[in-house]
Amino acid sequence: MTARTTCNSLQVATPLYRFIEDKVLPGTGIKSADFWKGFDDIVKDLTPKNEALLAKRDRLQLALDNWHKANPGPIKDMPAYRKYLKEIGYIDDVPTKISATTQNVDDELALQAGPQLVVPVLNARYALNAANARWGSLYDALYGTDVISEADGATKDGAYNPIRGAKVVAYARQFLDESAPLAGALYGDVVAYSVVDKKLSVKLKGGSTTGLVDEKQFVGYQGDASAPSSVLLRNHGIHIDIQIDKTKTIGAADSAGVNDVVLEAALSTILDLEDSVAVVDGDDKVLAYENWLGILKGTLVEEVSKGGKTFTRTLNPDRKYTAGIGAVNAKDGVVTLHGRSLLFLRNVGHLMTNPAIITGEGKEIYEGILDAVVTVLIALYDINRPATQAIGNTRKGSVYIVKPKMHSAEEVAFASELFGRVEKLLGLPENTVKLGIMDEERRMSVNIKAAIAAAGARVAFINTGFLDRTGDEMHTGMYGGAMVRKGRMKIAKWFGAYERRNVLAGLDCGLRGRAQIGKGMWPAPDLMKEMVEQKGAHPLAGANTAWVPSPTAATLHAMHYHQVDVAKIQADMEILDTAAEYEALTDELLTVPIALYPDWTKEEIREALNNNCQGILGYVVRWIDQGVGCSKVPDIYNVGLMEDRATLRISSQHIANWLLHKYVTKAEVNEALQRMATIVDTQNAGDPLYKPMMPNYEDSYAYQAASDLIFKGLEQPNGYTEPLLHAWRLKVKQAQAK
């Protein structure tokens, strides 16, 4: 039995109560009695509204199921379908003109364009790495990944390879030539850097000197003006730091002593309490909240072992440079740049409850309400930080919360109401809490402009989430017919309309200069060459951020924002009739990806089934047995992919759909699960904490959870995986406690 402490009508898991009482409230100036009474009032007042929103989801899904049963196959009469969606309340009314009014948004979200990381807040090392990924070594990112070929002796394993190093330097020099060109010269011609009259002066091999084509790109420097140790440049609002040190191996071999090129990379990071974590009770919540508190207080540390050495990782300080001619906001001749990513925290959505707190009637409270109250309470340490605290997050006095898996404008309005209640409880100005809206549910996609209008003074972020969006697409049209294979989802009509329409909505609602308009994740952290080749499409589409799976990926993706001036792209798009194009794409957006001619061969069906089953098991076995919510999981071809609950939702719903329409049988699924469980066991053989599923799969909670996700997939609310995962994980924790 969980030990609990009574706070008004709330029964709080004692570890959570003690954490709030001992570690959080004392530094906020808020009295314990006032906090718990206010918390209790919020739960009592908003729980019925939360319940009503979820009941509407269920009602709408039932109506859609009935429509598809009566109209099987691909949608043949789109006007009739849209009329039906309007009648049942699936499509909201949209105000004629929407103008977001969000104020006090930090530059990383409102003005700058660059990569965004998403990491589990439960893992302190990941959280610190992500926060510190604001700046990344381009040399390291190129040397250690497949962006640079290993041909012609340029291998990357073992000791430093000067052949590979030369390729890295050549690549970086070309990047500099394109991003901050020199007048009449290339960076490979440089033999020395200096600063003269606040301008960058570059000495060339022939003895002549030159400077930047645009001298205002020179922001500042470190060291002596005659021989700086660092040269800071700016392009499209983000920075490049050329680091010079002839005493180091790389610098000694460089004609100008350049030892590294460091890029401003992950401008922002989402610390995640949702899809990438396994947080199922009060103990888990405390671990997650403690890391959030430590990050915002600047005190989070982690002991790290790497290369046979152990060291303490902390948050990076800000970076200071002597101002150059292009400096902006310099103070006393010094330019100070933020040393860390600007942090969002992704709260849990509206669906889940959590036993961390129960009511007097024994009911778990909604986890989204719990997160809102506690995470914003913790954020007071950042908003009200003393001048003596050198490390902080916001400079504009805002708290940034991403709210996932919302379905409509009324659900966004509910989130805004919840944050408003929390602001009153904590004595914060109205709209202190800024809202990130994930456009990852089909009903949200069709209503995204109305959703922005519902929180127009809070919106600081909208982002497409293709993976969850695909899972919802499948579940929404489940009874219409067999869905196309997973690999064809990105070429289905709805996908292109969805991605384009989201950007158009953000621009038409006035988010440029106020908020991020984002794109989704690159899921393969080892395939960086492909990412560099493909992910440039995101800024070209008008998105001023896009998700990446690692600090290395953030550094590489940052190059795209030097190649593309996103602010100009957005301004050019606004000249178009964004509202008309947004509306014109609606029919394509609502086209359900039911296979027109589902004439797959037995081998194609078997391949799809194997792929889905292996992906489900590979992710679920770590989630259930070890509480790992996000990790690099090898797929059936042993390609490491970043998996979280969104990818799990796709795979489980896909099999459930093919089962429903009799393209696979229950026996075939069970056979595939058992066969793939053996493969997953082999792939994890090197993990000492791993518990094999085979041959005793009937005794494996992880295997049973994976099976439930498929065979109970039809009845899961909107196809979500959380209810089953949480239930099975709690069983494992209970068994371990005995």
Side-chain angles (χ1 to χ4, degrees):
M1 292 290 291
T2 301
R4 296 190 179 276
T5 301
T6 301
C7 300
N8 297 80
S9 70
L10 301 176
Q11 303 294 311
V12 184
T14 299
L16 176 59
Y17 173 79
R18 291 261 55 97
F19 166 72
I20 292 172
E21 286 288 317
D22 300 340
K23 296 185 178 181
V24 184
L25 284 174
T28 65
I30 296 172
K31 295 179 180 178
S32 172
D34 293 340
F35 172 77
W36 291 111
K37 182 183 184 306
F39 194 169
D40 189 34
D41 289 343
I42 290 172
V43 171
K44 286 177 179 175
D45 294 344
L46 297 189
T47 293
K49 295 184 178 184
N50 200 326
E51 290 172 341
L53 292 170
L54 297 180
K56 183 170 182 178
R57 290 186 190 180
D58 293 340
R59 178 179 65 78
L60 289 174
Q61 185 60 56
L62 180 61
L64 286 162
D65 290 345
N66 291 336
W67 191 92
H68 282 291
K69 289 175 184 177
N71 301 273
I75 296 169
K76 301 175 183 66
D77 187 346
M78 183 58 74
Y81 179 62
R82 288 184 63 171
K83 181 182 178 184
Y84 180 75
L85 295 180
K86 186 75 173 175
E87 289 172 349
I88 64 175
Y90 190 91
I91 296 179
D92 299 329
D93 292 326
V94 184
T96 305
K97 182 61 181 174
I98 303 163
S99 296
T101 59
T102 323
Q103 301 290 324
N104 301 319
V105 178
D106 285 274
D107 290 353
E108 290 91 337
L109 313 182
L111 300 178
Q112 292 181 286
Q116 186 169 73
L117 281 165
V118 185
V119 296
V121 71
L122 205 59
N123 187 308
R125 181 166 63 89
Y126 288 0
L128 285 167
N129 284 351
N132 288 340
R134 176 63 172 264
W135 298 86
S137 165
L138 181 59
Y139 279 12
D140 287 350
L142 292 170
Y143 190 95
T145 65
D146 63 348
V147 175
I148 298 293
S149 167
E150 294 192 72
D152 303 320
T155 55
K156 64 176 180 283
D157 293 333
Y160 173 70
N161 181 349
I163 297 174
R164 186 171 184 81
K167 282 190 173 184
V168 167
V169 170
Y171 191 110
R173 284 173 174 170
Q174 183 176 342
F175 165 75
L176 290 171
D177 289 333
E178 295 168 353
S179 303
L182 299 172
L186 300 175
Y187 280 87
D189 300 326
V190 179
V191 296
Y193 293 91
S194 62
V195 181
V196 179
D197 295 330
K198 292 192 174 182
K199 298 178 182 179
L200 182 64
S201 178
V202 174
K203 184 177 180 181
L204 304 177
K205 289 177 180 176
S208 62
T209 60
T210 188
L212 294 165
V213 171
D214 178 1
E215 61 185 20
K216 291 293 183 68
Q217 284 193 283
F218 177 58
V219 177
Y221 64 97
Q222 293 175 340
D224 295 330
S226 60
S229 59
S230 167
V231 170
L232 185 69
L233 308 175
R234 182 176 58 242
N235 180 46
H236 297 162
I238 53 177
H239 296 88
I240 304 167
D241 188 335
I242 301 173
Q243 299 190 345
I244 303 163
D245 188 344
K246 294 183 179 181
T247 68
K248 300 287 179 64
T249 300
I250 310 301
D254 187 89
S255 58
V258 174
N259 192 64
D260 203 351
V261 175
V262 173
L263 303 188
E264 191 172 19
L267 297 182
S268 57
T269 286
I270 297 174
L271 299 177
D272 190 21
L273 276 167
E274 197 241 2
D275 254 359
S276 66
V277 296
V279 173
V280 299
D281 58 19
D283 291 337
D284 293 339
K285 278 291 183 188
V286 168
L287 291 174
Y289 292 154
E290 278 188 322
N291 285 346
W292 177 234
L293 177 64
I295 284 273
L296 293 188
K297 291 177 70 175
T299 58
L300 185 66
V301 298
E302 183 76 359
E303 295 297 319
V304 178
S305 296
K306 193 173 183 179
K309 297 180 180 179
T310 300
F311 58 94
T312 300
R313 177 157 288 153
T314 60
L315 289 165
N316 287 341
D318 290 343
R319 302 165 76 93
K320 297 183 182 297
Y321 303 83
T322 302
I325 192 170
V328 177
N329 297 326
K331 185 176 181 180
D332 298 327
V334 175
V335 174
T336 301
L337 297 181
H338 215 46
R340 303 155 305 284
S341 283
L342 187 77
L343 302 176
F344 282 91
L345 188 71
R346 182 159 66 172
N347 283 188
V348 172
H350 295 326
L351 173 68
M352 293 300 293
T353 61
N354 192 292
I357 299 180
I358 60 176
T359 66
E361 294 77 35
K363 293 177 64 176
E364 297 177 3
I365 74 167
Y366 282 106
E367 196 168 358
I369 296 176
L370 169 62
D371 278 352
V373 174
V374 178
T375 63
V376 179
L377 172 69
I378 290 170
L380 293 178
Y381 280 89
D382 182 49
I383 295 173
N384 300 327
R385 64 181 181 269
T388 54
Q389 182 180 322
I391 291 177
N393 190 40
T394 181
R395 278 88 66 211
K396 297 292 184 72
S398 292
V399 182
Y400 300 101
I401 303 291
V402 174
K403 195 69 178 176
K405 296 180 172 62
M406 295 189 290
H407 284 230
S408 63
E410 60 189 332
E411 294 196 8
V412 171
F414 174 73
S416 185
E417 180 183 2
L418 169 60
F419 291 140
R421 288 291 300 270
V422 174
E423 287 163 348
K424 288 181 180 178
L425 170 63
L426 304 179
L428 291 170
E430 189 176 5
N431 299 318
T432 294
V433 180
K434 302 303 188 291
L435 177 63
I437 300 175
M438 289 302 305
D439 178 1
E440 58 189 348
E441 306 296 323
R442 188 171 184 265
R443 189 169 146 224
M444 175 62 80
S445 297
V446 75
N447 294 310
I448 184 63
K449 287 175 73 171
I452 294 170
R458 292 190 187 275
V459 177
F461 162 104
I462 62 171
N463 200 325
T464 52
F466 164 69
L467 298 173
D468 258 308
R469 180 68 177 73
T470 301
D472 191 55
E473 187 74 37
M474 291 178 178
H475 192 85
T476 299
M478 181 66 70
Y479 284 89
M483 297 289 163
V484 300
R485 287 184 291 170
K486 284 197 306 186
R488 298 190 66 79
M489 277 293 175
K490 281 197 172 183
I491 61 172
K493 273 188 176 182
W494 72 267
F495 175 75
Y498 160 64
E499 291 285 358
R500 174 72 173 171
R501 204 168 170 274
N502 183 270
V503 175
L504 294 170
L507 295 177
D508 197 48
C509 294
L511 296 190
R512 181 167 68 90
R514 294 184 183 276
Q516 285 182 324
I517 301 174
K519 295 288 185 183
M521 180 63 76
W522 178 265
D526 296 329
L527 303 181
M528 291 292 97
K529 183 175 185 292
E530 282 188 49
M531 187 198 78
V532 169
E533 292 169 350
Q534 296 179 30
K535 207 168 173 66
H538 285 166
L540 281 170
N544 54 1
T545 195
W547 287 358
V548 287
S550 67
T552 294
T555 301
L556 294 170
H557 184 40
M559 292 190 294
H560 294 131
Y561 297 90
H562 289 280
Q563 295 163 357
V564 179
D565 186 348
V566 179
K568 184 178 186 304
I569 293 278
Q570 290 186 345
D572 289 346
M573 289 177 69
E574 287 180 335
I575 297 171
L576 307 173
D577 191 342
T578 51
E581 187 181 351
Y582 171 91
E583 175 54 33
L585 289 169
T586 303
D587 284 358
E588 291 185 17
L589 178 80
L590 292 171
T591 301
V592 182
I594 296 167
L596 187 59
Y597 302 108
D599 53 351
W600 305 300
T601 66
K602 288 185 178 180
E603 183 54 38
E604 286 172 332
I605 292 172
R606 178 182 169 86
E607 181 185 16
L609 184 58
N610 287 344
N611 183 287
N612 281 324
C613 286
Q614 190 274 344
I616 292 169
L617 289 162
Y619 176 70
V620 169
V621 70
R622 297 181 184 184
W623 210 104
I624 299 300
D625 287 344
Q626 298 183 32
V628 176
C630 181
S631 59
K632 187 169 71 173
V633 178
D635 70 4
I636 198 169
Y637 308 108
N638 282 316
V639 175
L641 299 176
M642 294 304 294
E643 300 279 355
D644 64 12
R645 290 203 301 261
T647 54
L648 182 63
R649 188 180 180 191
I650 295 175
S651 297
S652 57
Q653 287 298 297
H654 201 244
I655 299 177
N657 174 260
W658 280 17
L659 270 169
L660 176 66
H661 296 286
K662 305 188 187 316
Y663 283 88
V664 293
T665 66
K666 185 174 182 179
E668 288 171 333
V669 174
N670 279 322
E671 187 274 334
L673 280 170
Q674 292 167 38
R675 196 159 28 80
M676 292 302 107
T678 300
I679 290 175
V680 171
D681 285 348
T682 301
Q683 289 174 326
N684 287 277
D687 182 354
L689 301 177
Y690 184 78
K691 294 175 64 176
M693 294 176 283
M694 299 298 286
N696 301 315
Y697 63 91
E698 292 179 336
D699 297 327
S700 167
Y701 285 170
Y703 184 95
Q704 293 177 65
S707 179
D708 276 358
L709 286 164
I710 296 168
F711 294 117
K712 296 179 180 179
L714 289 181
E715 63 199 61
Q716 296 311 299
N718 300 104
Y720 290 128
T721 61
E722 291 93 318
L724 288 170
L725 287 176
H726 280 229
W728 281 105
R729 175 65 184 158
L730 283 167
K731 287 184 180 181
V732 168
K733 294 190 76 171
Q734 289 162 3
Q736 291 172 343
K738 291 180 180 178

